[in-house]
Amino acid sequence: MSPSGIASRKGFIRTRWRIDGCVVEFVNVHLFNDSDNVISVKEHPSIYAQCRARGMRWLMELINSDSLPGQHVAIFGDFNFRLNLPALLERLCHGEQASLSLELLGPDGTTCLHPLAPKDCEPDAASLNAKTSDQPLISDCDINPTVIIGRRVFDLHGVLSDRWKYSEDLLSFDTEMDVFADQLKELPITFPPSYPFDAASSNPHAYARTRCPAWCDRILFSPNMLAKLRPSIEPSGSTCPVTYDMLAKDSTVGDHKPVYLYFSLDTSPG
């Protein structure tokens, strides 16, 4: 069931393969999205993140209940993971000369302006569940920047500086998978958020002003599967390293951009 309590189109597909002596289960998953930005910014984990976590726990229990000895697992797809939005907004208004204003859009279209004034000291990183940085997060501007958030509106209006937008600092707010850190592993992310790109824009790097950019599309592994990944030997004899990246970086393909993993699999038993 979705966070709203109604039936959802989301789900998963499981396939199990025996490749030489290696048993691998590939699972394609599509989890619930955040249907209301205003609700998402109120707390972390949001009710949507909590629902995704329950879905992932159920899926992992199902996989573990009928797995074969020595089975390896790869789970990939649109997890709809989102950033820690309360912590991100807090970070944006700290250490800056100008305060950040947050404008919330109500269901009737009315607005309520909430200035997030800088506090006397930098927030504790543990309390925000995210790392902080000395690098400026807000782009240079002559007026106090404003973030407008509505049910389907997340308009940054250029608040995030370009040099910070895709950096490790933004990735530090990607904490939703942390609860599964013991069960699932992931290669380092070196690509920009995979959602929500503006499919109507001629700029393939432009994001739609509907959701906060996030790494929704991922490829995760059981620890023993991660240990099976090997560099690929090309027909020319050259070696290609294991590569985790985004496709169509410079093309417009839709609101999501797919990610891929290029590797060779160690098919020896164990």
Side-chain angles (χ1 to χ4, degrees), residues 10-39:
K10 306 300 189 284
F12 64 94
I13 298 175
R14 299 173 64 190
T15 63
R16 183 178 292 167
W17 303 72
R18 184 182 296 276
I19 307 173
D20 294 336
C22 183
V23 178
V24 183
E25 180 158 336
F26 293 101
V27 184
N28 180 228
V29 67
H30 191 184
L31 295 179
F32 312 106
N33 66 341
D34 287 29
S35 60
D36 191 327
N37 292 323
V38 176
I39 293 176

Side-chain angles (χ1 to χ4, degrees), residues 1 16 25 27 30-31 49 65 69 111-112 141 144 161 167 172-173 177 207 218 220 222 248-249:
M1 300 295 285
R16 183 178 292 167
E25 180 158 336
V27 184
H30 191 184
L31 295 179
S65 68
T111 63
C112 181
C141 55
N144 289 356
S161 59
S167 72
S172 70
F173 292 93
M177 206 194 81
Y207 287 95
R218 316 282 277 264
L220 311 178
S222 59
K249 287 182 179 178

Side-chain angles (χ1 to χ4, degrees), residues 108-126:
D108 57 355
T110 59
T111 63
C112 181
L113 193 63
H114 297 274
L116 298 179
K119 298 179 182 178
D120 294 333
C121 59
E122 192 71 18
D124 179 73

Side-chain angles (χ1 to χ4, degrees), residues 157-220:
H157 283 297
V159 167
L160 291 181
S161 59
D162 289 338
R163 65 179 178 274
W164 187 85
K165 191 177 295 183
Y166 308 134
S167 72
E168 292 181 0
D169 289 319
L170 186 59
L171 189 59
S172 70
F173 292 93
D174 175 65
T175 59
E176 197 168 325
M177 206 194 81
D178 289 357
V179 294
F180 302 103
D182 293 338
Q183 302 179 68
L184 295 171
K185 305 298 180 182
E186 184 177 21
L187 293 176
I189 293 177
T190 59
F191 47 86
S194 63
Y195 173 86
F197 284 95
D198 187 350
S201 173
S202 59
N203 179 3
H205 308 119
Y207 287 95
R209 297 181 176 185
T210 54
R211 310 288 182 195
C212 182
W215 287 269
C216 294
D217 305 275
R218 316 282 277 264
I219 303 174
L220 311 178

